[in-house]
Amino acid sequence: MQEPGEHELGEVQRRHWQATYEANPEMYGQAPSQPAMQAAEAFAAAQAHRVLELGAGHGRDALYLARAGFAVHATDFSETGLEQLRARAEAEDLTEVTTAMVDVRKALPLPDESVDAVYAHMLLCMALSTTEIRALVAEVRRVLRPGGALFYTVRHTGDAHYGAGVDHGDDIYEHGGFAVHFFSRQLVDDLAADWKLQQVNEFEEGALPRRLWSVVQTRP
């Protein structure tokens, strides 16, 4: 069977996430992730207010950041996930949460230097090619104000699923219908070129457990 091309794989993954959120509207629960709590502390210390979240899903982290006092623009490529996020934000009267359906393979629909911080929990390690990841980080740099912070997490090449499942090339492997781009440390360092790399911390999440890095880098 012929493997899907780069663009086709992204569309297959979009449909897969749509179906997943429809079938499991509470798949991640309502409690925030550990990275979201760490990001809130880092953003508060940096006196950030306007936060862009990439890959917000059904919103557990976006809502947590909004409760912590940030104005959150939550984006995802699943309209189903965003509908669930909006319903919860309205129920809690979190008026500073806005949403938009965004395909991160394209330019971010935001003005230059319009946000104070960007948060992306496992978005960069979705089914994106290395070229697309580099372009996305360049777009993040464009929309961040000087001194603004990017906080992201990714599964890395020490993860148990790295090298297993369907090999799509470019360190992308598919397991259970979900394609993941596993990051090498070299890729992390390359993405921080012309930034200030503040931290690279390893942590685990889930039952496997998944092995991830949390990365904080700031725009000079």
Side-chain angles (χ1 to χ4, degrees):
M1 183 174 65
Q2 185 177 6
E3 297 297 336
E6 183 177 294
H7 180 74
E8 183 182 351
L9 178 61
E11 289 305 305
V12 168
Q13 287 295 293
R14 185 186 66 79
R15 293 193 296 269
H16 184 66
W17 278 104
Q18 282 276 92
T20 299
Y21 285 130
E22 288 172 1
N24 305 282
E26 295 287 339
M27 67 178 293
Y28 292 119
Q30 297 188 21
S33 68
Q34 175 187 343
M37 293 185 281
Q38 295 171 342
E41 293 180 1
F43 295 162
Q47 298 183 316
H49 178 62
R50 300 160 299 170
V51 175
L52 167 65
E53 181 177 3
L54 302 175
H58 62 64
R60 61 172 180 155
D61 288 349
L63 298 177
Y64 174 79
L65 291 170
R67 293 186 204 107
F70 300 100
V72 182
H73 187 54
T75 67
D76 201 275
F77 71 167
S78 167
E79 181 59 31
T80 299
L82 291 175
E83 287 173 358
Q84 295 166 4
L85 191 164
R86 283 192 293 270
R88 290 177 58 192
E90 290 172 7
E92 295 188 37
D93 197 27
L94 293 171
T95 57
E96 286 208 275
V97 176
T98 58
T99 64
M101 191 161 67
V102 168
D103 184 344
V104 297
R105 295 170 297 178
K106 303 175 182 178
L108 296 176
L110 293 169
D112 294 357
E113 300 182 5
S114 58
V115 299
D116 302 314
V118 176
Y119 173 71
H121 181 28
M122 291 183 65
L123 183 280
L124 271 68
C125 63
M126 295 291 104
L128 301 170
S129 69
T130 299
T131 298
E132 289 170 334
I133 293 168
R134 292 180 188 278
L136 173 56
V137 171
E139 275 293 284
V140 168
R141 182 187 174 96
R142 178 184 67 78
V143 303
L144 269 176
R145 63 163 170 79
L150 166 60
F151 186 112
Y152 73 88
T153 68
V154 287
R155 293 173 74 176
H156 60 68
T157 53
D159 187 277
H161 280 162
Y162 176 64
V166 180
D167 183 357
H168 291 286
D170 200 15
D171 281 339
I172 300 173
Y173 294 88
E174 181 180 339
H175 238 279
F178 296 96
V180 176
H181 190 137
F182 293 89
F183 272 48
S184 67
R185 179 54 197 259
Q186 184 62 57
L187 179 54
V188 170
D189 290 341
D190 289 348
L191 294 175
D194 301 321
W195 295 68
K196 292 182 180 179
L197 183 59
Q198 305 288 358
Q199 72 169 47
V200 181
N201 291 336
E202 186 168 10
F203 70 102
E204 296 182 347
E205 185 178 77
L208 185 60
R210 294 184 293 271
R211 298 187 66 187
L212 301 96
W213 283 318
S214 64
V215 181
V216 180
Q217 56 193 59
T218 56
R219 177 183 168 178

